[in-house]
Amino acid sequence: MKKASYFIKALILIVTISSCSPEEQIDNTNFNNIENSTLELNDIENEILEKINNHRASIGLNILKINNEIKIQTENHTIYMINKDKASHDYFYSRKEYLISHAKAIKVSENVAYGFTSAESVVNSWIKSTVHAQNIEGDHTHFNISAKKNTKGKWYYTNIFIKK
């Protein structure tokens, strides 16, 4: 009887530990609960997308279309970065898989940033960075962005590009 009680307690402990790791608790990829109202672009987001498309046009590239499936991912990742108080590409592959599945993406790229106070400053910074510029100037068809301030007024940005 003592063995059975020990076995049951051990089994409960194993199930509890393995069923929900801390990483799974903070994974920001399964947010289908974003309301449509949050999918609307604010002024700085509109300006960033316009500046990116103007840059692409100035070097002979196609203009990118806005995609709401991307917006779901950018919104949630920006909120995640604000909560962590750091810019990161954490869970990029989960966002990529989501966009492959839900937006029919065949290619996904991402730029993140924080601290910039204007659309011009963040876009100029990305264009001056080889890796970020490659994403902006890449073979993509759609994009979207999220730009949000934390409680201290610091801006965080997530910009995702896909090719369909």
Side-chain angles (χ1 to χ4, degrees):
M1 188 71 158
K2 210 173 195 183
K3 254 186 176 176
S5 175
Y6 174 76
F7 177 76
I8 290 172
K9 287 177 184 176
L11 184 60
I12 290 171
L13 179 63
I14 290 169
V15 169
T16 303
I17 290 170
S18 65
S19 66
C20 193
S21 71
E23 190 169 290
E24 289 171 333
Q25 291 174 355
I26 58 172
D27 186 350
N28 68 332
T29 59
N30 295 316
F31 290 91
N32 295 321
N33 60 344
I34 290 202
E35 297 177 20
N36 283 335
S37 62
T38 63
L39 295 178
E40 295 176 17
L41 296 169
N42 63 35
D43 291 342
I44 195 168
E45 292 167 340
N46 274 316
E47 194 175 342
I48 290 168
L49 296 181
E50 182 180 330
K51 286 184 177 305
I52 288 171
N53 267 336
N54 287 344
H55 174 75
R56 288 178 62 87
S58 75
I59 59 174
L61 297 173
N62 62 302
I63 300 300
L64 302 176
K65 297 175 188 170
I66 293 173
N67 178 284
N68 279 336
E69 291 294 338
I70 298 170
K71 183 68 170 173
I72 292 169
Q73 296 302 303
T74 61
E75 284 285 309
N76 288 303
H77 187 62
T78 300
I79 291 167
Y80 170 84
M81 292 190 302
I82 287 170
N83 290 336
K84 289 291 189 179
D85 196 26
K86 69 173 189 158
S88 77
H89 292 284
D90 293 354
Y91 304 107
F92 170 72
Y93 291 103
S94 295
R95 288 187 293 288
K96 179 181 177 180
E97 290 303 316
Y98 176 93
L99 292 167
I100 289 169
S101 173
H102 291 82
K104 311 273 188 278
I106 58 173
K107 180 180 179 183
V108 181
S109 301
E110 174 178 86
N111 287 344
V112 300
Y114 72 101
F116 296 94
T117 57
S118 70
E120 184 173 359
S121 64
V122 73
V123 173
N124 286 343
S125 173
W126 282 333
I127 290 170
K128 289 177 184 174
S129 162
T130 303
V131 174
H132 294 98
Q134 287 172 346
N135 290 339
I136 289 173
E137 298 168 2
D139 183 20
H140 300 104
T141 57
H142 295 79
F143 69 158
N144 217 318
I145 190 158
S146 176
K148 295 190 175 305
K149 286 184 185 179
N150 69 7
T151 56
K152 297 174 186 171
K154 184 177 182 181
W155 283 96
Y156 286 80
Y157 306 88
T158 305
N159 188 198
I160 296 178
F161 307 86
I162 69 170
K163 178 178 181 173
K164 284 189 172 194

